Amino acid sequence: MFLTVTTTGTPEHPATDLGFLLHKHPEKAQAFSTSYGRAHVLYPEADDQRCTAALLLEVDAVALVRRGKGKGRGGAPDAALAQYVNDRPYAASSLLAVALSAVFTSAMRGVCHARPELPSQPRPLRIEVPALPARGGPALVRRLFEPLGWTVTVDPVPLDARFPEWGDSRYVRLELESTRLTVAEALRHLYVLLPVLDDAKHYWVASDEVDKLLRAGEGWLPQHPEQKLITSRYLSRRWSLTREAMERLELVRLAETDDSEVEDIDNAVEAETETEEKPTPLAVQRREAILAGLRATGAARVLDLGCGQGQLVQALLKDPKFTEIVGVDVSVRALTIASRRLKLDRMGERTASRVQLFQGSLAYTDKRLKGYDAAVLSEVIEHLDLPRLPALEYAVFGAARPRTVLVTTPNVEYNVRWESLPAGHVRHGDHRFEWTRAQFRAWASSVAERHGYDVEFTPVGPDDPEVGPPTQMATFTQRTEKEAKAA
């Protein structure tokens, strides 16, 4: 298997910077052992104007069979000879993807201690893969790579050039070019999409593959138009893993959206109607209402579920009455931004002991969420498809069961008051629904009844006499055992 990465340079940014980014010196040829053979990294050309790094993977067909993958697709044994004579030594596949990850680990993570400014800089890149299995043909290759910013040249490889009437094989020659991607982004694209195009993996796909997919797909997979196909093929069409990955990707979109968008159109809309006395943004009013609601319950240990980039966690930390604050989000990227916002690495020991951030999906029960005084779901539920709400409901109200739960969500009736919002549109492109006051009350009341809570409703923002407030908040309070029996 063979793959090359080429970049060009300028006097200020020589092409040989590629060596720093890949952590492989251009003047050396290096070899690395893998479970299935030997990977070689070499530079066919390397000067200030143009630099090419090549990855050559020599596959040991015997080792591949002995490690348990001498099976055909669907689990049926191959013919005896086919276990050793096949396309694996030549055609890019999950074998090459794993080699990319093993050989260029730091490059894929975007880490370069020698030149820390380099990984975040886009570069002119050209990637060539001479033989790539593409189950779906050239059209699928373009559908996968073009949305990521690549210019794609894909040429089908004929079954036999001497007999054109035989048609094309399932293999293509692939060339990718871009000027606006980083090396780390390019490697992560290849790591995910090479096995997707082959539609096969050379190893058993376990549950940790979901985490690998989300790590490599961070920043691009949640918005990819072929997300479902990519996820299904990458996880070898294992339905349970695919469902888990799709649910986690669905929640990632909330955290990966810019903060000004995540909080709907609050600041943008109100900036248009700014007067001499600037109004308090709705996002700030919402946080103040949540803080007031939590203080009224006497809660000390609080969960921020779907914490995003940590704005509410930051506000909670300012009040010493909140002795333990936990931010939970499905997106590693969002949690990283939250950590920077909170300055966790520079926080004093006493303050740091009050806060923690961890990754988790609200669609699944999590024993780490049990035993808290209160939980907050601020502008979260509307980002889920309606069929997924029962899963979140059970995870929060049925399994975690905090004494108090505060839920905020937009009031769709108020949308007519936003002058810049077209009629019939929701406030944010990722909102799967926006409820009227009656719909929200009906949902909240049914949730409270099913799980032994009482619920009260509070307007957030100006309470218009005709259409109500822009945001609606429900406060769920767990009934005592006596109250539950009486109910």
Side-chain angles (χ1 to χ4, degrees), residues 129-180:
V129 185
L132 174 66
R135 299 181 188 274
L140 179 60
V141 178
R142 294 189 182 94
R143 280 161 44 203
L144 294 183
F145 282 101
E146 285 180 347
L148 301 175
W150 292 104
T151 300
V152 180
T153 302
V154 55
D155 299 315
V157 176
L159 281 170
D160 192 321
R162 299 169 299 173
F163 304 101
E165 65 273 14
W166 289 5
D168 296 326
S169 68
R170 68 182 184 93
Y171 302 94
V172 298
R173 175 182 174 83
L174 177 63
E175 295 178 3
L176 303 171
E177 291 185 273
S178 176
T179 59
R180 57 188 183 90

Side-chain angles (χ1 to χ4, degrees), residues 238-280:
R238 292 191 60 188
W239 178 80
S240 60
L241 298 183
T242 301
R243 183 182 64 176
E244 177 187 349
M246 293 296 292
E247 289 170 348
R248 291 174 62 178
L249 286 166
E250 183 177 3
L251 293 174
V252 163
R253 281 196 291 269
L254 170 61
E256 288 195 342
T257 311
D258 183 76
D259 187 36
S260 63
E261 295 179 318
V262 167
E263 297 186 332
D264 311 313
I265 58 170
D266 301 346
N267 298 340
V269 171
E270 293 184 49
E272 295 176 6
T273 59
E274 185 175 311
T275 61
E276 291 183 7
E277 185 176 342
K278 187 174 180 180
T280 303

